[in-house]
């Protein structure tokens, strides 16, 4: 179905706006994936704060101009599915990685994070980033471990002084 010029401009503006507010982007080829699986993927994307869109390559290239995701222009070949992570940089990568496990035909083409292009094989770098809550929990456990070690050290010094005084 042919798109009118106004429709193309609207798509470019919408994708550009999504790109400007995104933390990371993942591009994939969804050729051969069933409609029901794609519907499930879209639902999961909404739940995880990921903007998901199928875009024509020329429109995607235009939409990426002037954003930190301009480095993805080389992977816009063939059918293109773009996922922009809005809440957590690894959300889109994690979503696509999990989806690819159950769908042989789904192929990740490339990723971008903070203006840097990453090959599809590096999806684990983004997918394994801790969420905000996980990062806070790790920080708290480090702080707790350090403070308990300090308390044990001070108690040992006190006991050693008491033993020496007696």
């Amino acid at each position: 179905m042919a798109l009118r010029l106004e429709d193309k401009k609207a798509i470019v503006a919408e994708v550009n706006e999504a790109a400007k507010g995104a933390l990371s982007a993942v591009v994939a080829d969804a050729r051969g994936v069933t409609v029901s699986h794609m519907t499930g993927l879209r639902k999961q994307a909404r739940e995880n704060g990921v903007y998901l869109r199928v875009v024509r390559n020329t429109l995607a290239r235009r939409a990426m101009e002037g954003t930190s995701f301009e480095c993805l222009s080389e992977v816009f070949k063939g059918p293109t599915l773009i996922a922009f992570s809005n809440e957590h940089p690894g959300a889109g990568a994690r979503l696509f990685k999990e989806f690819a496990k159950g769908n042989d035909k789904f192929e990740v083409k490339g990723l971008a994070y903070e203006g840097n292009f990453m090959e599809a094989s590096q999806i684990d770098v983004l997918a394994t980033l801790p969420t905000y809550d996980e990062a806070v929990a790790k920080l708290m456990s480090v702080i707790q471990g350090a403070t308990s070690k300090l308390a044990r050290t001070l108690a040992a010094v006190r006991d050693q002084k008491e033993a020496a005084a007696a």
Side-chain angles (χ1 to χ4, degrees):
M1 182 170 108
L3 292 173
R4 295 179 316 192
L5 182 60
E6 297 84 31
D7 296 336
K8 291 178 183 180
K9 286 181 181 179
I11 291 170
V12 168
E14 178 186 338
V15 174
N16 183 273
E17 192 63 34
K20 286 181 180 175
L23 301 170
S24 68
V26 185
V27 179
D29 180 352
R31 238 183 312 208
V33 178
T34 64
V35 173
S36 61
H37 284 105
M38 283 301 293
T39 303
L41 179 65
R42 289 176 196 276
K43 182 179 182 224
Q44 288 178 337
R46 281 190 301 275
E47 292 170 356
N48 292 309
V50 176
Y51 173 85
L52 199 63
R53 180 75 194 243
V54 176
V55 185
R56 291 183 178 182
N57 296 323
T58 53
L59 300 179
R61 281 189 202 96
R62 286 201 177 151
M64 297 300 150
E65 289 175 1
T67 68
S68 61
F69 305 113
E70 202 165 355
C71 58
L72 288 171
S73 294
E74 296 301 316
V75 296
F76 294 134
K77 295 178 175 87
T80 302
L81 176 66
I82 303 174
F84 292 109
S85 301
N86 298 318
E87 297 171 9
H88 182 269
R94 199 173 305 121
L95 180 72
F96 278 11
K97 182 180 175 187
E98 288 298 316
F99 188 74
K101 286 180 184 176
N103 294 285
D104 307 353
K105 297 177 181 179
F106 189 79
E107 176 191 350
V108 176
K109 295 181 187 180
L111 309 99
Y113 178 61
E114 293 184 344
N116 298 317
F117 176 76
M118 302 167 78
E119 294 290 331
S121 59
Q122 296 177 307
I123 193 166
D124 287 335
V125 172
L126 275 181
T128 57
L129 282 176
T131 63
Y132 177 79
D133 293 335
E134 292 169 347
V136 168
K138 285 181 183 181
L139 177 64
M140 295 307 287
S141 69
V142 168
I143 291 172
Q144 181 183 12
T147 55
S148 64
K149 184 174 182 175
L150 176 65
R152 286 192 306 271
T153 304
L154 292 174
V157 169
R158 182 197 62 216
D159 292 345
Q160 192 177 36
K161 286 188 178 186
E162 287 176 355

